[in-house]
Amino acid sequence: MPDRNALDNARRLRPAVLALGSNLGDRGELLRAAVDALRATGGIEVRAVSPVVESVALKLDGADASAPRYLNAVVLVDTLLTPAELLAEAHRIEAEHGRVREERWGDRTLDIDIVDYDGLESADPELTLPHPRAAERAFVLAPWLAVDPDAAVPGVGRVDALLAAIGDDTVRAEGVEL
């Protein structure tokens, strides 16, 4: 007979933090569509959506002012999905909105990263948690802080302190609401 407590624990809603970004196409509409797709996905409840910020594109060699700028947002969700299932849904939504994976760190119509999943720490190469570069990216930290002033990157530190340490180079995207 299965352990009832293990079954209940497996089915409980778990908090997760998703970072969204777009620098190709109608960036604001793509972010809106991504949030709508998350809301429509079984096993995901959208709890909060941050204000949208704009940031310079990051490439493998660093900031690229010549590339199209990104619009970024953070979405707080509660989910019944496992981390792998949540990642699969994020990839599905990206693909439905024109995401192609040809160049690592390349321009993209839509990017959805799992930044945190219930405080889980994992070095799995398919899904490292927390996101390995979240603590270094103002375009993740600033919108996350806007929707959760007490947020922390597991094993790293409080989002407010991390953002203060690196500086906030994002700009609020006027007229873009999700």
Side-chain angles (χ1 to χ4, degrees):
M1 179 129 177
D3 179 350
R4 184 72 183 149
N5 289 333
L7 288 174
D8 288 344
N9 189 41
R11 290 194 189 122
R12 74 177 172 90
L13 285 170
R14 297 174 185 272
V17 178
L18 306 177
L20 281 59
S22 174
N23 80 329
L24 295 177
D26 186 340
R27 302 168 303 158
E29 182 53 39
L30 285 160
L31 294 182
R32 269 190 290 281
V35 172
D36 289 345
L38 288 167
R39 285 187 172 114
T41 300
I44 297 176
E45 293 179 10
V46 172
R47 235 183 331 126
V49 180
S50 75
V52 178
V53 298
E54 190 171 37
S55 64
V56 68
L58 282 183
K59 304 290 182 154
L60 196 52
D61 297 329
D64 183 356
S66 68
R69 292 177 63 83
Y70 271 87
L71 288 185
N72 302 96
V74 164
V75 179
L76 305 182
V77 302
D78 289 321
T79 185
L80 293 171
L81 304 178
T82 66
E85 291 168 337
L86 185 58
L87 181 63
E89 290 300 324
H91 286 171
R92 176 189 60 79
I93 292 167
E94 289 173 340
E96 287 176 354
H97 293 89
R99 169 75 186 266
V100 290
R101 295 177 183 275
E102 293 175 351
E103 175 189 354
R104 186 168 187 222
W105 296 52
D107 296 329
R108 55 201 64 174
T109 56
L110 183 61
D111 187 35
I112 303 174
D113 288 333
I114 302 173
V115 176
D116 178 39
Y117 180 96
D118 198 19
L120 181 66
E121 294 184 43
S122 168
D124 183 326
E126 294 297 316
L127 178 59
T128 304
L129 292 169
H131 189 286
R133 289 169 299 283
E136 305 162 3
R137 295 178 169 173
F139 60 82
V140 172
L141 299 174
W144 189 3
L145 185 61
V147 290
D148 185 357
D150 296 320
V153 178
V156 181
R158 287 183 51 95
V159 169
D160 55 359
L162 294 168
L163 185 59
I166 64 170
D168 185 357
D169 61 354
T170 66
V171 177
R172 175 77 189 261
E174 297 302 323
V176 182
E177 300 296 327
L178 305 181

